[in-house]
Amino acid sequence: MTSVTSIHPLLAPKRTLLLVHFVFTIIVPYLLRKLRRKSMEENWEQDESSPTRRRTALVLKYAVIVWACLSLANTLHFLATGKYRSLVERVLSLRPVYGSQQMRRFTNLIYMNQHVWWTTWMSLFSVLKVGRYFRRILSTVRTITTSGSQPTNTNVCCACREMPTIAQKSNCGHTYCYYCIKSRLLDSQATGSFRCCRCTQAVHSCSPA
């Protein structure tokens, strides 16, 4: 039998690099998501009483956008060259190595292609924020399909057409879910208001129903 010679230890990644890779791949994204969600729920961007919170929210917002753009660029570069699947691997110069000199790699090309394309499209969607526009289109379609066939129910959320969760009343007097109206106010922070889904008046504030 042919003996299998282990790869030279200098070619294997150090444990410190592996630990850093774990931290920046698992721990840091988790903490950033939690902090980002908390800032959105408590509306840090419009908190006049705490400049620190406002700055933190803006930094988080633009950091997410920059990271998404860089991830998309890295994914496209990976498709072209096959090197460094993620930004963390590129920064740390981590690449897969063979466990032994005579080790053979068997790659499922179907799975690999699906994974690569899924990563590419998800990076593209995160940059373009397709989900936001999809929700708007879906809300418009629901409004069109329900307005002509069903009587208007003032007890449902004007955006999602469901029973409101933590009901909020807009300044024009219509009912929304807390998330529905807050997310629209955050999305339209440049203008300070959005058009009501029921009466098309400008909505710039809300209060508990």
Side-chain angles (χ1 to χ4, degrees):
M1 295 179 63
T2 305
S3 61
V4 177
T5 305
S6 299
I7 194 169
H8 196 280
L10 293 178
L11 298 179
K14 297 181 179 180
R15 291 187 177 182
T16 305
L17 281 180
L18 294 178
L19 180 60
V20 173
H21 180 270
F22 169 77
V23 170
F24 281 94
T25 304
I26 305 297
I27 305 299
V28 172
Y30 172 77
L31 294 177
L32 288 178
R33 282 196 298 269
K34 297 289 286 186
L35 186 60
R36 176 67 172 159
R37 178 178 296 180
K38 182 177 179 62
S39 69
M40 294 182 66
E41 290 177 350
E42 298 181 0
N43 198 10
W44 287 6
E45 290 189 24
Q46 298 181 2
D47 190 356
E48 301 291 344
S49 61
S50 178
T52 303
R53 285 190 171 187
R54 293 188 63 185
R55 286 194 295 268
T56 303
L58 290 175
V59 169
L60 285 173
K61 176 182 177 181
Y62 291 112
V64 169
I65 295 175
V66 171
W67 183 262
C69 293
L70 292 177
S71 297
L72 176 59
N74 182 80
T75 302
L76 295 176
H77 188 269
F78 170 74
L79 290 176
T81 63
K83 297 179 180 179
Y84 303 117
R85 298 169 298 176
S86 66
L87 279 176
V88 177
E89 291 183 2
R90 181 175 296 277
V91 172
L92 299 177
S93 298
L94 285 176
R95 298 180 62 184
V97 297
Y98 291 105
S100 63
Q101 292 181 354
Q102 297 184 2
M103 179 179 178
R104 294 184 179 181
R105 296 181 64 188
F106 297 94
T107 305
N108 188 329
L109 296 180
I110 297 178
Y111 170 78
M112 185 180 69
N113 289 335
Q114 290 176 346
H115 177 73
V116 168
W117 280 110
W118 174 258
T119 304
T120 304
W121 283 111
M122 289 303 295
S123 300
L124 180 62
F125 288 163
S126 63
V127 172
L128 299 180
K129 297 184 178 179
V130 176
R132 176 191 302 178
Y133 301 105
F134 179 77
R135 287 194 298 269
R136 290 180 180 177
I137 294 173
L138 186 60
S139 176
T140 303
V141 171
R142 285 180 177 177
T143 302
I144 295 174
T145 55
T146 58
S147 60
S149 58
Q150 297 179 356
T152 302
N153 187 354
T154 57
N155 294 325
V156 299
C157 173
C158 297
C160 64
R161 304 295 175 180
E162 303 290 342
M163 293 303 296
T165 303
I166 312 179
Q168 300 286 311
K169 191 171 291 293
S170 62
N171 55 276
C172 60
H174 293 120
T175 304
Y176 287 84
C177 296
Y178 178 85
Y179 174 79
C180 291
I181 192 168
K182 284 294 185 180
S183 60
R184 282 164 173 75
L185 287 173
L186 287 175
D187 289 343
S188 58
Q189 60 183 348
T191 57
S193 63
F194 69 94
R195 294 293 177 181
C196 177
C197 300
R198 179 159 294 169
C199 66
T200 69
Q201 292 186 21
V203 177
H204 51 76
S205 63
C206 63
S207 59

